[in-house]
Amino acid sequence: MVQTLVTQVLFFASLREAMKIGSLKLTLTKPVTVQNLLMMIAGQSDRFAAALAERELLVAINEQLADQHSMVQPGDTIALFPPVTGG
Amino acid sequence: MVQTLVTQVLFFASLREAMKIGSLKLTLTKPVTVQNLLMMIAGQSDRFAAALAERELLVAINEQLADQHSMVQPGDTIALFPPVTGG
Amino acid sequence: MMTWINCRIQVEDFSLAAEYQTLVRQDCGAVVLFSGLVRDQFRPDSVSSNSIDPNNIDQLQALELEHYPGMTERSISTIAEQAARRFDLRAVSIIHRVGVLPVGEQIVLVGIAAPHRRDAFAACEMLMDYLKNEVPLWKKAHFRQSAEWVEAKAADKNALQRWEQPK
Amino acid sequence: MMTWINCRIQVEDFSLAAEYQTLVRQDCGAVVLFSGLVRDQFRPDSVSSNSIDPNNIDQLQALELEHYPGMTERSISTIAEQAARRFDLRAVSIIHRVGVLPVGEQIVLVGIAAPHRRDAFAACEMLMDYLKNEVPLWKKAHFRQSAEWVEAKAADKNALQRWEQPK
């Protein structure tokens, strides 16, 4: 059985509001860098492109902080968000 | 009316226990240094001399920390005690 | 030496007194507690931001706390374990609230019990610095007339340097 | 900006929760509380002090706190005012108990409310360092088989250097 590995991308806080969606799903056929993934999302709409471009972004892969050069595997859960402000 | 100015000397903690008294009174006729005052007390008994000699001493004049060279005025209240350990 | 660690993300308020009781233990001479609260804040009215007219100030009503469920809890546990490895601690409690918190509400509690006070103070400060920089939580400030996401502060980021250790 | 200062020397226990409530105020985002407690301590039995036999250890029963009535209160108020001049604080509470305090009892509470956490942490630590070095209070340790006055620690004296300011 061939399983399609869906990569889920979550957005939080001001990024979530600017994207106007909390998450989206992508089907990756091979590993890509976080930077590649951002380009793929930005390519989907002008709003996405603007939302991603206009703020500093942090990224987590499977709930671990990562960076622009980290590799995303098909099936990973990616989270994109602005710098944190808890505490 | 001539008022006799009594100088009270208080002892605390391990010093109080070694002196076996909590306070004593002296009549000073003129200002003396703390060092002079210690000599006067030490001269009163071997126990006092030993108690004063065998530990580091702090001194307060009228509830303000002072040192060996501070002047004691007749009528002042002097306190002698080991380094503090509160908190 | 084992350190008891308790980390929670919750909507409900917490009782500082109850948390204190869970921290206290006979081999600890020091308990340090930090409570973070939603503080009154004022700013120039958004429609007249250059005005210094005191009638034209906008007052904070509430902070809204958003988090990344799952990662937030994991991330808080990780920093608690880092503190426990670095300092001699016997108990660590971290509670962070999420949701809409009006002015005066408690946001966060960090409590430390340790044999000695220096470890307790250092761990508590380090955990607050890490909470401000590494845990996926975001604050939105709701003023009377507007709302905006709180910007991360450079001072909070700089505070992390205190805890960098030589490799 | 005025700082509310509350200093007490007392025999009775205190309620950390009640003191926290007196500290909290709307313009303060940070409350730091330090609670010092009588901690279990063990030492080699005085009659066999070179022994490492675990059966020959003497266990602390209580600390006895002596003070200089009048000067202690004045001295605590003075250090509270120094902290309030140095940091941006809105409320300072210092309670120190005296008398015989068995293991597990609360000895001292220092509570600070401030707009921002760094002032609150620094003031609380500074006040504990000053309490340990400048306030006329002395501890006598009562073990099961003996009693002795606690010696001042060099580490506590050295801690004061952190708070020295350029003249």
Side-chain angles (χ1 to χ4, degrees):
Chain A
M1 186 182 121
V2 176
Q3 200 186 339
T4 306
L5 287 172
V6 174
T7 298
Q8 190 171 32
V9 187
L10 310 174
F11 309 108
F12 291 99
S14 62
L15 178 65
R16 175 181 52 72
E17 288 188 351
M19 297 287 286
K20 296 190 195 291
I21 49 167
S23 68
L24 57 75
K25 292 193 167 71
L26 295 171
T27 307
L28 295 183
T29 53
K30 61 178 175 61
V32 297
T33 65
V34 168
Q35 205 160 41
N36 296 146
L37 189 83
L38 288 171
M39 295 305 161
M40 289 167 65
I41 299 168
Q44 293 193 5
S45 89
D46 290 349
R47 187 173 71 236
F48 289 179
L52 292 170
E54 75 191 0
R55 73 202 73 232
E56 188 186 341
L57 289 179
L58 301 184
V59 59
I61 302 177
N62 299 328
E63 303 189 355
Q64 300 287 347
L65 281 177
D67 65 37
Q68 301 278 314
H69 309 293
S70 302
M71 293 306 293
V72 177
Q73 306 296 328
D76 281 351
T77 296
I78 311 305
L80 294 168
F81 43 79
V84 304
T85 56
Chain B
M1 185 181 119
V2 175
Q3 202 187 338
T4 306
L5 288 172
V6 174
T7 299
Q8 191 171 31
V9 187
L10 311 174
F11 309 108
F12 291 99
S14 62
L15 178 62
R16 174 180 53 71
E17 288 188 351
M19 297 287 288
K20 295 189 196 290
I21 51 169
S23 69
L24 56 77
K25 291 191 167 72
L26 296 171
T27 308
L28 295 182
T29 52
K30 61 178 176 57
V32 297
T33 64
V34 167
Q35 207 161 41
N36 295 147
L37 190 83
L38 288 171
M39 295 305 161
M40 290 167 64
I41 300 167
Q44 293 192 5
S45 87
D46 290 349
R47 188 172 71 236
F48 290 178
L52 293 170
E54 75 192 2
R55 75 203 70 230
E56 189 186 341
L57 289 179
L58 302 183
V59 60
I61 302 176
N62 299 326
E63 302 189 354
Q64 300 286 346
L65 282 176
D67 64 37
Q68 301 278 313
H69 308 293
S70 304
M71 294 305 295
V72 177
Q73 306 295 327
D76 281 352
T77 296
I78 311 305
L80 295 169
F81 44 78
V84 305
T85 55
Chain C
M1 188 62 75
M2 288 288 291
T3 305
W4 175 86
I5 294 178
N6 167 44
C7 298
R8 305 204 303 272
I9 295 287
Q10 61 188 43
V11 170
E12 318 84 69
D13 198 8
F14 53 80
S15 159
L16 178 130
E19 295 307 316
Y20 174 57
Q21 287 310 321
T22 68
L23 289 166
V24 167
R25 51 209 69 214
Q26 293 234 326
D27 57 354
C28 289
V31 175
V32 172
L33 294 159
F34 175 86
S35 169
L37 302 115
V38 183
R39 154 178 93 85
D40 241 355
Q41 285 177 61
F42 303 92
R43 53 164 210 185
D45 190 315
S46 47
V47 294
S48 58
S49 61
N50 292 324
S51 165
I52 51 163
D53 178 355
N55 297 317
N56 276 328
I57 53 167
D58 200 357
Q59 186 177 357
L60 183 75
Q61 302 298 293
L63 289 178
E64 183 181 353
L65 268 291
E66 179 170 331
H67 77 303
Y68 176 2
M71 182 174 168
T72 311
E73 291 83 343
R74 177 190 290 209
S75 170
I76 291 180
S77 294
T78 300
I79 63 175
E81 286 156 15
Q82 283 172 359
R85 274 197 300 275
R86 180 148 175 186
F87 301 105
D88 182 16
L89 313 179
R90 300 300 150 82
V92 176
S93 192
I94 304 177
I95 305 172
H96 206 297
R97 292 178 70 195
V98 292
V100 176
L101 304 174
V103 168
E105 287 285 306
Q106 301 182 127
I107 306 169
V108 58
L109 178 87
V110 176
I112 308 286
H116 302 290
R117 76 184 186 286
R118 260 174 277 278
D119 290 296
F121 274 118
C124 195
E125 275 208 88
M126 181 179 124
L127 285 171
M128 281 307 303
D129 287 340
Y130 277 74
L131 269 175
K132 294 262 178 191
N133 286 283
E134 303 207 338
V135 175
L137 285 155
W138 302 272
K139 290 193 183 99
K140 189 172 189 175
H142 290 267
F143 289 85
R144 265 192 309 235
Q145 300 173 36
S146 61
E148 64 187 29
W149 289 94
V150 173
E151 299 267 334
K153 292 188 190 74
D156 285 329
K157 198 163 183 180
N158 295 338
L160 278 195
Q161 292 169 3
R162 289 191 286 177
W163 310 112
E164 278 171 14
Q165 289 182 303
K167 303 269 162 62
Chain D
M1 188 62 75
M2 289 286 291
T3 305
W4 175 87
I5 294 178
N6 167 44
C7 298
R8 305 203 304 272
I9 294 287
Q10 61 188 43
V11 171
E12 318 83 72
D13 199 8
F14 54 79
S15 158
L16 179 132
E19 296 307 316
Y20 174 57
Q21 288 310 320
T22 69
L23 289 167
V24 167
R25 51 210 68 214
Q26 293 234 325
D27 57 355
C28 288
V31 175
V32 172
L33 294 158
F34 175 86
S35 170
L37 302 114
V38 182
R39 155 178 91 86
D40 242 355
Q41 286 176 60
F42 303 91
R43 55 166 207 181
D45 190 313
S46 47
V47 293
S48 56
S49 60
N50 291 325
S51 167
I52 50 163
D53 178 354
N55 297 317
N56 276 328
I57 54 166
D58 200 358
Q59 186 176 357
L60 183 75
Q61 302 298 295
L63 289 178
E64 182 181 354
L65 267 293
E66 179 170 331
H67 77 305
Y68 176 2
M71 181 173 168
T72 311
E73 290 84 342
R74 177 188 291 208
S75 170
I76 291 180
S77 294
T78 300
I79 62 175
E81 286 155 15
Q82 283 173 0
R85 274 197 300 276
R86 180 149 176 186
F87 301 104
D88 182 16
L89 313 178
R90 300 300 150 83
V92 176
S93 192
I94 304 177
I95 305 173
H96 206 297
R97 292 178 70 195
V98 292
V100 176
L101 304 175
V103 168
E105 287 286 305
Q106 300 182 126
I107 305 169
V108 58
L109 179 88
V110 175
I112 308 285
H116 302 290
R117 77 185 187 284
R118 261 174 277 275
D119 290 297
F121 274 118
C124 195
E125 275 207 90
M126 182 179 122
L127 284 171
M128 280 307 302
D129 286 340
Y130 278 72
L131 269 175
K132 294 261 179 194
N133 285 284
E134 303 206 338
V135 175
L137 285 156
W138 302 271
K139 289 192 185 101
K140 189 172 188 175
H142 290 267
F143 289 85
R144 267 192 308 234
Q145 301 174 34
S146 61
E148 64 187 28
W149 290 94
V150 173
E151 299 268 334
K153 292 188 190 74
D156 286 328
K157 197 163 184 180
N158 295 340
L160 277 194
Q161 293 170 0
R162 287 192 287 178
W163 311 112
E164 278 171 15
Q165 290 181 303
K167 300 270 159 63

